[in-house]
mmCIF file of all heavy atoms in Angstrom:
data_model
loop_
_atom_site.group_PDB
_atom_site.id
_atom_site.type_symbol
_atom_site.label_atom_id
_atom_site.label_comp_id
_atom_site.label_asym_id
_atom_site.label_seq_id
_atom_site.Cartn_x
_atom_site.Cartn_y
_atom_site.Cartn_z
ATOM 1 N N HIS A 1 1.139 5.756 7.718
ATOM 2 C CA HIS A 1 -0.255 6.176 7.679
ATOM 3 C C HIS A 1 -0.374 7.678 7.940
ATOM 4 O O HIS A 1 -1.092 8.391 7.199
ATOM 5 C CB HIS A 1 -1.091 5.411 8.702
ATOM 6 C CG HIS A 1 -2.535 5.732 8.686
ATOM 7 N ND1 HIS A 1 -3.068 6.766 9.402
ATOM 8 C CD2 HIS A 1 -3.578 5.161 8.031
ATOM 9 C CE1 HIS A 1 -4.360 6.823 9.196
ATOM 10 N NE2 HIS A 1 -4.721 5.861 8.364
ATOM 11 N N ASP A 2 0.317 8.176 8.917
ATOM 12 C CA ASP A 2 0.256 9.602 9.242
ATOM 13 C C ASP A 2 0.813 10.461 8.090
ATOM 14 O O ASP A 2 0.329 11.553 7.848
ATOM 15 C CB ASP A 2 1.022 9.882 10.511
ATOM 16 C CG ASP A 2 0.387 9.312 11.788
ATOM 17 O OD1 ASP A 2 -0.819 8.904 11.692
ATOM 18 O OD2 ASP A 2 1.027 9.278 12.823
ATOM 19 N N ARG A 3 1.784 9.934 7.400
ATOM 20 C CA ARG A 3 2.433 10.683 6.328
ATOM 21 C C ARG A 3 1.631 10.688 5.044
ATOM 22 O O ARG A 3 1.542 11.745 4.387
ATOM 23 C CB ARG A 3 3.853 10.083 6.070
ATOM 24 C CG ARG A 3 4.679 10.870 5.108
ATOM 25 C CD ARG A 3 6.155 10.425 5.167
ATOM 26 N NE ARG A 3 6.346 9.005 4.846
ATOM 27 C CZ ARG A 3 6.702 8.082 5.730
ATOM 28 N NH1 ARG A 3 6.916 8.385 7.001
ATOM 29 N NH2 ARG A 3 6.900 6.825 5.322
ATOM 30 N N VAL A 4 1.050 9.566 4.651
ATOM 31 C CA VAL A 4 0.382 9.456 3.364
ATOM 32 C C VAL A 4 -1.113 9.576 3.404
ATOM 33 O O VAL A 4 -1.753 9.837 2.389
ATOM 34 C CB VAL A 4 0.792 8.180 2.606
ATOM 35 C CG1 VAL A 4 2.301 8.073 2.481
ATOM 36 C CG2 VAL A 4 0.217 6.949 3.314
ATOM 37 N N GLY A 5 -1.747 9.356 4.567
ATOM 38 C CA GLY A 5 -3.188 9.403 4.677
ATOM 39 C C GLY A 5 -3.843 8.064 4.355
ATOM 40 O O GLY A 5 -3.250 7.151 3.808
ATOM 41 N N GLU A 6 -5.142 7.977 4.744
ATOM 42 C CA GLU A 6 -5.830 6.715 4.646
ATOM 43 C C GLU A 6 -5.975 6.189 3.209
ATOM 44 O O GLU A 6 -5.804 4.989 2.963
ATOM 45 C CB GLU A 6 -7.236 6.877 5.272
ATOM 46 C CG GLU A 6 -8.127 5.653 5.225
ATOM 47 C CD GLU A 6 -7.748 4.568 6.214
ATOM 48 O OE1 GLU A 6 -6.844 4.810 7.047
ATOM 49 O OE2 GLU A 6 -8.328 3.489 6.162
ATOM 50 N N ASP A 7 -6.251 7.055 2.280
ATOM 51 C CA ASP A 7 -6.492 6.619 0.867
ATOM 52 C C ASP A 7 -5.274 5.921 0.297
ATOM 53 O O ASP A 7 -5.368 4.830 -0.261
ATOM 54 C CB ASP A 7 -6.927 7.794 0.036
ATOM 55 C CG ASP A 7 -7.296 7.356 -1.379
ATOM 56 O OD1 ASP A 7 -8.199 6.503 -1.547
ATOM 57 O OD2 ASP A 7 -6.665 7.842 -2.357
ATOM 58 N N VAL A 8 -4.099 6.545 0.410
ATOM 59 C CA VAL A 8 -2.887 5.961 -0.105
ATOM 60 C C VAL A 8 -2.509 4.726 0.709
ATOM 61 O O VAL A 8 -2.053 3.717 0.151
ATOM 62 C CB VAL A 8 -1.715 6.970 -0.119
ATOM 63 C CG1 VAL A 8 -0.400 6.321 -0.506
ATOM 64 C CG2 VAL A 8 -2.027 8.104 -1.122
ATOM 65 N N PHE A 9 -2.706 4.830 1.992
ATOM 66 C CA PHE A 9 -2.363 3.720 2.909
ATOM 67 C C PHE A 9 -3.015 2.399 2.512
ATOM 68 O O PHE A 9 -2.377 1.329 2.514
ATOM 69 C CB PHE A 9 -2.752 4.114 4.328
ATOM 70 C CG PHE A 9 -2.321 3.145 5.390
ATOM 71 C CD1 PHE A 9 -1.015 3.198 5.891
ATOM 72 C CD2 PHE A 9 -3.193 2.226 5.924
ATOM 73 C CE1 PHE A 9 -0.598 2.330 6.880
ATOM 74 C CE2 PHE A 9 -2.818 1.349 6.918
ATOM 75 C CZ PHE A 9 -1.514 1.413 7.424
ATOM 76 N N VAL A 10 -4.282 2.448 2.137
ATOM 77 C CA VAL A 10 -5.012 1.210 1.803
ATOM 78 C C VAL A 10 -4.778 0.790 0.346
ATOM 79 O O VAL A 10 -5.037 -0.358 0.000
ATOM 80 C CB VAL A 10 -6.538 1.347 2.053
ATOM 81 C CG1 VAL A 10 -6.780 1.644 3.531
ATOM 82 C CG2 VAL A 10 -7.158 2.385 1.192
ATOM 83 N N ARG A 11 -4.260 1.685 -0.496
ATOM 84 C CA ARG A 11 -3.970 1.334 -1.905
ATOM 85 C C ARG A 11 -2.547 0.939 -2.144
ATOM 86 O O ARG A 11 -2.247 0.272 -3.150
ATOM 87 C CB ARG A 11 -4.375 2.497 -2.820
ATOM 88 C CG ARG A 11 -5.866 2.740 -2.928
ATOM 89 C CD ARG A 11 -6.205 3.766 -3.996
ATOM 90 N NE ARG A 11 -5.724 5.117 -3.660
ATOM 91 C CZ ARG A 11 -4.677 5.707 -4.236
ATOM 92 N NH1 ARG A 11 -3.996 5.070 -5.180
ATOM 93 N NH2 ARG A 11 -4.288 6.930 -3.879
ATOM 94 N N GLN A 12 -1.629 1.378 -1.305
ATOM 95 C CA GLN A 12 -0.217 1.088 -1.450
ATOM 96 C C GLN A 12 0.342 0.581 -0.124
ATOM 97 O O GLN A 12 1.020 1.290 0.617
ATOM 98 C CB GLN A 12 0.530 2.340 -1.920
ATOM 99 C CG GLN A 12 0.061 2.885 -3.255
ATOM 100 C CD GLN A 12 0.775 4.165 -3.675
ATOM 101 O OE1 GLN A 12 1.839 4.482 -3.151
ATOM 102 N NE2 GLN A 12 0.180 4.875 -4.609
ATOM 103 N N PRO A 13 0.052 -0.649 0.193
ATOM 104 C CA PRO A 13 0.405 -1.223 1.518
ATOM 105 C C PRO A 13 1.918 -1.362 1.674
ATOM 106 O O PRO A 13 2.643 -1.660 0.707
ATOM 107 C CB PRO A 13 -0.276 -2.565 1.533
ATOM 108 C CG PRO A 13 -0.378 -2.974 0.086
ATOM 109 C CD PRO A 13 -0.643 -1.693 -0.649
ATOM 110 N N VAL A 14 2.382 -1.136 2.902
ATOM 111 C CA VAL A 14 3.754 -1.449 3.296
ATOM 112 C C VAL A 14 3.721 -2.331 4.528
ATOM 113 O O VAL A 14 2.772 -2.268 5.330
ATOM 114 C CB VAL A 14 4.612 -0.214 3.532
ATOM 115 C CG1 VAL A 14 4.641 0.703 2.319
ATOM 116 C CG2 VAL A 14 4.168 0.560 4.756
ATOM 117 N N GLY A 15 4.715 -3.136 4.681
ATOM 118 C CA GLY A 15 4.790 -3.989 5.849
ATOM 119 C C GLY A 15 6.242 -4.297 6.196
ATOM 120 O O GLY A 15 7.151 -3.575 5.755
ATOM 121 N N THR A 16 6.448 -5.414 6.881
ATOM 122 C CA THR A 16 7.777 -5.843 7.252
ATOM 123 C C THR A 16 8.141 -7.174 6.640
ATOM 124 O O THR A 16 9.152 -7.783 6.932
ATOM 125 C CB THR A 16 7.872 -5.999 8.777
ATOM 126 O OG1 THR A 16 6.843 -6.887 9.237
ATOM 127 C CG2 THR A 16 7.719 -4.631 9.498
ATOM 128 N N GLY A 17 7.264 -7.673 5.763
ATOM 129 C CA GLY A 17 7.418 -9.036 5.238
ATOM 130 C C GLY A 17 8.522 -9.153 4.182
ATOM 131 O O GLY A 17 9.135 -8.173 3.767
ATOM 132 N N PRO A 18 8.758 -10.371 3.672
ATOM 133 C CA PRO A 18 9.831 -10.627 2.724
ATOM 134 C C PRO A 18 9.526 -10.093 1.326
ATOM 135 O O PRO A 18 10.437 -10.141 0.474
ATOM 136 C CB PRO A 18 9.968 -12.149 2.711
ATOM 137 C CG PRO A 18 8.583 -12.624 3.096
ATOM 138 C CD PRO A 18 8.049 -11.626 4.061
ATOM 139 N N TYR A 19 8.328 -9.660 1.069
ATOM 140 C CA TYR A 19 7.982 -9.050 -0.241
ATOM 141 C C TYR A 19 7.373 -7.684 -0.001
ATOM 142 O O TYR A 19 6.688 -7.462 0.994
ATOM 143 C CB TYR A 19 6.981 -9.938 -0.992
ATOM 144 C CG TYR A 19 7.591 -11.209 -1.524
ATOM 145 C CD1 TYR A 19 7.726 -12.315 -0.697
ATOM 146 C CD2 TYR A 19 8.052 -11.313 -2.827
ATOM 147 C CE1 TYR A 19 8.319 -13.487 -1.141
ATOM 148 C CE2 TYR A 19 8.650 -12.465 -3.307
ATOM 149 C CZ TYR A 19 8.770 -13.557 -2.444
ATOM 150 O OH TYR A 19 9.352 -14.710 -2.916
ATOM 151 N N LYS A 20 7.627 -6.767 -0.938
ATOM 152 C CA LYS A 20 7.010 -5.484 -0.862
ATOM 153 C C LYS A 20 6.027 -5.309 -2.052
ATOM 154 O O LYS A 20 6.198 -5.924 -3.104
ATOM 155 C CB LYS A 20 8.032 -4.331 -0.883
ATOM 156 C CG LYS A 20 8.877 -4.225 -2.126
ATOM 157 C CD LYS A 20 9.880 -3.086 -1.980
ATOM 158 C CE LYS A 20 10.731 -2.960 -3.231
ATOM 159 N NZ LYS A 20 11.696 -1.805 -3.089
ATOM 160 N N PHE A 21 5.043 -4.474 -1.859
ATOM 161 C CA PHE A 21 4.030 -4.209 -2.871
ATOM 162 C C PHE A 21 4.684 -3.526 -4.055
ATOM 163 O O PHE A 21 5.451 -2.568 -3.922
ATOM 164 C CB PHE A 21 2.958 -3.293 -2.285
ATOM 165 C CG PHE A 21 1.906 -2.851 -3.239
ATOM 166 C CD1 PHE A 21 0.901 -3.725 -3.638
ATOM 167 C CD2 PHE A 21 1.910 -1.560 -3.738
ATOM 168 C CE1 PHE A 21 -0.057 -3.308 -4.555
ATOM 169 C CE2 PHE A 21 0.910 -1.137 -4.601
ATOM 170 C CZ PHE A 21 -0.072 -2.016 -5.014
ATOM 171 N N ALA A 22 4.381 -4.000 -5.261
ATOM 172 C CA ALA A 22 4.966 -3.462 -6.489
ATOM 173 C C ALA A 22 3.926 -3.007 -7.515
ATOM 174 O O ALA A 22 4.319 -2.434 -8.548
ATOM 175 C CB ALA A 22 5.906 -4.485 -7.130
ATOM 176 N N GLY A 23 2.654 -3.255 -7.271
ATOM 177 C CA GLY A 23 1.634 -2.772 -8.218
ATOM 178 C C GLY A 23 0.419 -3.679 -8.251
ATOM 179 O O GLY A 23 0.472 -4.843 -7.874
ATOM 180 N N TYR A 24 -0.701 -3.103 -8.682
ATOM 181 C CA TYR A 24 -1.941 -3.840 -8.746
ATOM 182 C C TYR A 24 -2.819 -3.274 -9.847
ATOM 183 O O TYR A 24 -2.958 -2.052 -9.982
ATOM 184 C CB TYR A 24 -2.674 -3.716 -7.394
ATOM 185 C CG TYR A 24 -4.098 -4.289 -7.380
ATOM 186 C CD1 TYR A 24 -4.325 -5.631 -7.640
ATOM 187 C CD2 TYR A 24 -5.206 -3.475 -7.121
ATOM 188 C CE1 TYR A 24 -5.611 -6.173 -7.627
ATOM 189 C CE2 TYR A 24 -6.473 -3.995 -7.104
ATOM 190 C CZ TYR A 24 -6.683 -5.346 -7.343
ATOM 191 O OH TYR A 24 -7.957 -5.869 -7.344
ATOM 192 N N ALA A 25 -3.383 -4.129 -10.661
ATOM 193 C CA ALA A 25 -4.362 -3.769 -11.683
ATOM 194 C C ALA A 25 -5.565 -4.698 -11.520
ATOM 195 O O ALA A 25 -5.401 -5.936 -11.632
ATOM 196 C CB ALA A 25 -3.778 -3.889 -13.085
ATOM 197 N N PHE A 26 -6.704 -4.121 -11.282
ATOM 198 C CA PHE A 26 -7.924 -4.905 -11.001
ATOM 199 C C PHE A 26 -8.164 -5.937 -12.109
ATOM 200 O O PHE A 26 -8.174 -5.603 -13.279
ATOM 201 C CB PHE A 26 -9.117 -3.958 -10.887
ATOM 202 C CG PHE A 26 -10.402 -4.679 -10.549
ATOM 203 C CD1 PHE A 26 -10.700 -5.000 -9.225
ATOM 204 C CD2 PHE A 26 -11.284 -5.029 -11.557
ATOM 205 C CE1 PHE A 26 -11.894 -5.680 -8.922
ATOM 206 C CE2 PHE A 26 -12.451 -5.692 -11.249
ATOM 207 C CZ PHE A 26 -12.795 -6.019 -9.955
ATOM 208 N N GLY A 27 -8.406 -7.176 -11.724
ATOM 209 C CA GLY A 27 -8.705 -8.232 -12.642
ATOM 210 C C GLY A 27 -7.515 -8.708 -13.466
ATOM 211 O O GLY A 27 -7.683 -9.560 -14.342
#
């Protein structure tokens, strides 16, 4: 969050789970 800022943080989530975010297109 400190590195990328709030806008990128909420659009490109990262976590510790077994899957990582790979993309999103509305609808």
Side-chain angles (χ1 to χ4, degrees):
H1 182 273
D2 291 347
R3 187 165 60 248
V4 303
E6 179 75 6
D7 184 58
V8 173
F9 186 81
V10 300
R11 290 188 295 105
Q12 298 177 18
V14 303
T16 56
Y19 289 82
K20 64 180 179 179
F21 176 76
Y24 172 61
F26 181 83

